[in-house]
Amino acid sequence: MNKTNVSLSIATIKKTRRKLGWRCEGTRYCQLIRQPNKVDRFHYALTCIRNKENFRNVIFTNECTIELDHHARISFRKLDEQPKLKPRPKHPVKVHVWSGISRTGSMPIVIFDGIMRTDFYINEILGKAVIPYARLNYPNGYRFMQDNDPKHTANATKTFMKDNDIYWWKTPAESPDLNPIELVWHQLKDYLRRFHKPHTKDELICGIKTFWTTNMTPELCQTYISHLRKVIPAVIRREGKATGY
């Protein structure tokens, strides 16, 4: 150090930092959560703890976009060779999927193109997927978890849900870590990238269906939902901030 005439090596600085309890790691990114939603998350988690919530009759739902991606994440080349570049389309082939999970297992997966409109959500999702599944698995009632997407909050959707006894169990906004189906989407994308490796849209759809019929067992759904036992206390410890899960 110039001011004190003390010479310190980088290794000494790193060693001293570790002794003081500090460590250097890459920045971890998480969901952006606004302050009002942090408060809602904190109180939601406290309520779950007080009520000893086990999510026994909750159906967790959400949609996701799956892109056709068959590029390897790493490649090898010799030092005297040029980098290996692979072209990536400006608008990659993609499909949208919607489904849900509960402690009894997974719902049918709905694969569609374009933007999901309110009428499609009411007729194809609620009418043909949610209601038959719920009547079969939860004849005594259930809680239906969905986010605050405009098609979910539309008056037509609310009316349909009320007329068909679909109870919307509202959860805090900006909280993907509180919806275990997000873990399912992560595993689905990993399966497609590592094992199925589709090259066309038809192969992509085939891979999605294969994953859903072979991997989405009731036991796996139970595991994902039980993961909330880790997330809920973490929300409380972090006072509603993102948990990193």
Side-chain angles (χ1 to χ4, degrees), residues 205-220:
I205 294 175
C206 178
I208 294 172
K209 292 180 178 179
T210 299
F211 170 85
W212 209 257
T213 55
T214 59
N215 290 44
M216 291 306 297
T217 63
E219 292 76 18
L220 183 61

Side-chain angles (χ1 to χ4, degrees), residues 3-203:
K3 292 183 179 180
T4 59
N5 295 322
V6 177
S7 177
L8 293 175
S9 67
I10 297 298
T12 301
I13 295 174
K14 291 181 177 179
K15 184 177 180 180
T16 304
R17 185 174 60 197
R18 287 194 297 269
K19 287 184 177 180
L20 292 175
W22 293 87
R23 68 177 181 178
C24 180
E25 59 182 17
T27 301
R28 300 174 61 186
Y29 294 93
C30 62
Q31 173 75 20
L32 177 63
I33 303 174
R34 291 168 291 181
Q35 185 58 37
N37 292 327
K38 292 178 183 177
V39 176
D40 292 342
R41 284 165 52 85
F42 180 74
H43 290 298
Y44 169 84
L46 285 177
T47 301
C48 288
I49 294 296
R50 293 194 190 104
N51 295 340
K52 298 181 180 179
E53 181 63 66
N54 61 9
F55 309 99
R56 179 183 55 82
N57 63 345
V58 179
I59 301 175
F60 297 92
T61 70
N62 205 355
E63 63 182 275
C64 180
T65 299
I66 309 293
E67 291 187 354
L68 184 63
D69 182 7
H70 54 268
H71 297 289
R73 292 195 170 187
I74 61 173
S75 62
F76 296 91
R77 65 183 176 91
K78 293 184 177 180
L79 295 177
D80 57 347
E81 291 180 343
Q82 292 294 320
K84 297 179 180 179
L85 303 178
K86 289 188 176 182
R88 183 177 179 86
K90 183 177 180 180
H91 302 290
V93 175
K94 62 184 178 182
V95 297
H96 306 286
V97 297
W98 180 98
S99 192
I101 62 172
S102 72
R103 290 200 176 275
T104 62
S106 63
M107 297 181 63
I109 190 166
V110 180
I111 305 174
F112 60 97
D113 293 311
I115 300 174
M116 183 188 293
R117 306 294 183 182
T118 300
D119 56 344
F120 183 92
Y121 185 69
I122 292 174
N123 298 323
E124 300 299 323
I125 302 300
L126 298 180
K128 296 182 181 180
V130 175
I131 292 177
Y133 175 86
R135 287 176 177 173
L136 176 64
N137 294 279
Y138 295 103
N140 298 321
Y142 59 96
R143 292 172 288 175
F144 182 71
M145 189 247 184
Q146 61 179 2
D147 58 24
N148 294 309
D149 188 279
K151 60 180 170 288
H152 301 163
T153 59
N155 290 332
T157 303
K158 291 181 179 179
T159 300
F160 183 88
M161 293 176 67
K162 182 179 180 180
D163 292 343
N164 290 275
D165 297 323
I166 301 176
Y167 173 67
W168 181 7
W169 190 55
K170 296 184 178 181
T171 52
E174 299 177 337
S175 301
D177 52 351
L178 295 175
N179 190 348
I181 200 172
E182 297 295 338
L183 301 174
V184 176
W185 301 143
H186 175 78
Q187 183 175 350
L188 170 58
K189 292 177 181 179
D190 183 68
Y191 168 83
L192 292 171
R193 182 176 60 253
R194 295 176 56 193
F195 302 107
H196 198 78
K197 301 178 180 180
H199 288 79
T200 66
K201 184 177 180 179
D202 288 340
E203 291 178 357

